[in-house]
Amino acid sequence: MNNLTRPGTSLLILEDADALAREAAHRFALGAGQAVEHGHPFRVALSGGTTPLETFHALASAPYLRSVPWGSVEFFWADERFVPFDHTDSNFGAARNALLDRLGAPPAGVFPVPCNAASVEDAAREYEETLRQAFELGSEEIPRFDLILLGLGEDGHTASLFPGFLPSGDGTHAVAGLRPAHASSFRVSLTPATLNAAREIVFLVSGARKASVLEKALRIEAPDPSFPASLVRPVRGKVHWLVDRAAAARVTESAEAPPEG
Ligand code: 6PG
């Protein structure tokens, strides 16, 4: 069973990055509407990097700017660079500029990672407490996000889970402070346990340079720490791969998921 034939997993190949962003915004809006129908806030965790930016711009534009019930949306981050919010590398700063500052109505909540903490490890512990308070959880519980937007790095990383620099410990932590040697900054990341508790994961993968890593991500049979994106296997959640045609250049027909039942 490869990653795509896992129950609850789908692949949608969009014509280009713009179509991908519009599809991602559409799924965000659907999720927000469903959460409101069920009477709870829509708790979403955003990733950084460049791919999500077009989705943020789509959400800050018609029709979503007016159709999404922003007053019921709580924003969190799947990962963050341990830098000030006004630093060019800040994922919160990027989302604030591309989306949050453009919303007509204030969202229900915005919960950035506390990058002013004394250390990246302290930031992770403080963020974990922020999540547990926002989700009204006990000290050992893992938050269940409604939606987590993830990217895919060329080395198979996702969020800030990098090969060789995965969170240690027994998997009870929801958030980890990490010091990946090659990254430009220390990182705070949701752990695989939190990613895998999500109701819905949407991977956004765009561009020809992702063709090789996407093909591997979809083909991989079992969780492999050397390819962290393969660790994302929600226990009771769906995984949607939204990719553009350039990134899907090496996706064989056989890898395509059967139509959703
Ligand atoms: C980050 C992201 C990271 C990103 C991938 C893909 O903070 O950098 O969370 O995991 O999603 O590196 O980045 P691009 O979208 O820029 O290719």
Side-chain angles (χ1 to χ4, degrees):
M1 174 188 293
N2 68 33
N3 225 352
L4 253 189
T5 55
R6 287 171 46 78
T9 300
S10 73
L11 166 74
L12 187 59
I13 301 175
L14 288 306
E15 189 53 38
D16 54 28
D18 180 59
L20 189 163
R22 281 186 279 110
E23 177 63 24
H26 170 66
R27 285 179 183 265
F28 184 109
L30 274 182
Q34 287 163 0
V36 169
E37 276 175 24
H38 288 92
H40 66 72
F42 182 59
R43 295 181 172 124
V44 58
L46 307 178
S47 276
T50 56
T51 305
L53 294 178
E54 286 206 42
T55 299
F56 298 163
H57 290 140
L59 287 167
S61 311
Y64 304 109
L65 187 59
R66 300 223 179 284
S67 67
V68 172
W70 296 111
S72 298
V73 178
E74 293 181 356
F75 286 101
F76 302 82
W77 274 261
D79 71 317
E80 182 59 281
R81 293 83 179 278
F82 191 58
V83 295
F85 292 156
D86 59 0
H87 190 288
T88 52
D89 287 351
S90 169
N91 291 342
F92 167 71
R96 180 176 54 188
N97 295 337
L99 176 57
L100 301 179
D101 284 354
R102 301 167 188 239
L103 298 182
V110 179
F111 302 89
V113 174
C115 290
N116 57 349
S119 71
V120 67
E121 291 79 12
D122 286 353
R125 293 293 72 78
E126 288 174 28
Y127 202 50
E128 199 166 68
E129 183 53 31
T130 298
L131 294 182
R132 286 187 168 133
Q133 287 180 20
F135 283 71
E136 299 174 11
L137 297 175
S139 60
E140 295 296 313
E141 290 183 271
I142 297 290
R144 188 171 195 216
F145 284 93
D146 294 297
L147 172 64
I148 302 178
L149 295 182
L150 291 177
L152 178 66
E154 291 178 67
D155 60 357
H157 82 258
T158 192
S160 283
L161 303 173
F162 289 93
F165 296 93
L166 293 177
S168 57
D170 56 5
T172 57
H173 280 297
V175 185
L178 302 162
R179 298 176 178 240
H182 62 292
S184 56
S185 57
F186 296 152
R187 301 291 188 97
V188 176
S189 182
L190 297 184
T191 60
T194 305
L195 299 180
N196 288 332
R199 286 188 172 83
E200 183 175 14
I201 297 272
V202 170
F203 277 100
L204 305 176
V205 188
S206 172
R209 68 186 177 88
K210 298 291 180 77
S212 174
V213 68
L214 176 64
E215 190 274 331
K216 180 170 181 181
L218 299 179
R219 169 173 45 82
I220 208 161
E221 299 277 343
D224 175 356
S226 70
F227 195 92
S230 71
L231 304 178
V232 179
R233 297 169 164 248
V235 179
R236 291 178 295 123
K238 293 182 180 293
V239 179
H240 301 298
W241 291 86
L242 300 186
V243 308
D244 64 14
R245 197 160 294 290
R250 297 177 59 171
V251 172
T252 59
E253 294 305 315
S254 61
E256 299 218 20
E260 277 196 38

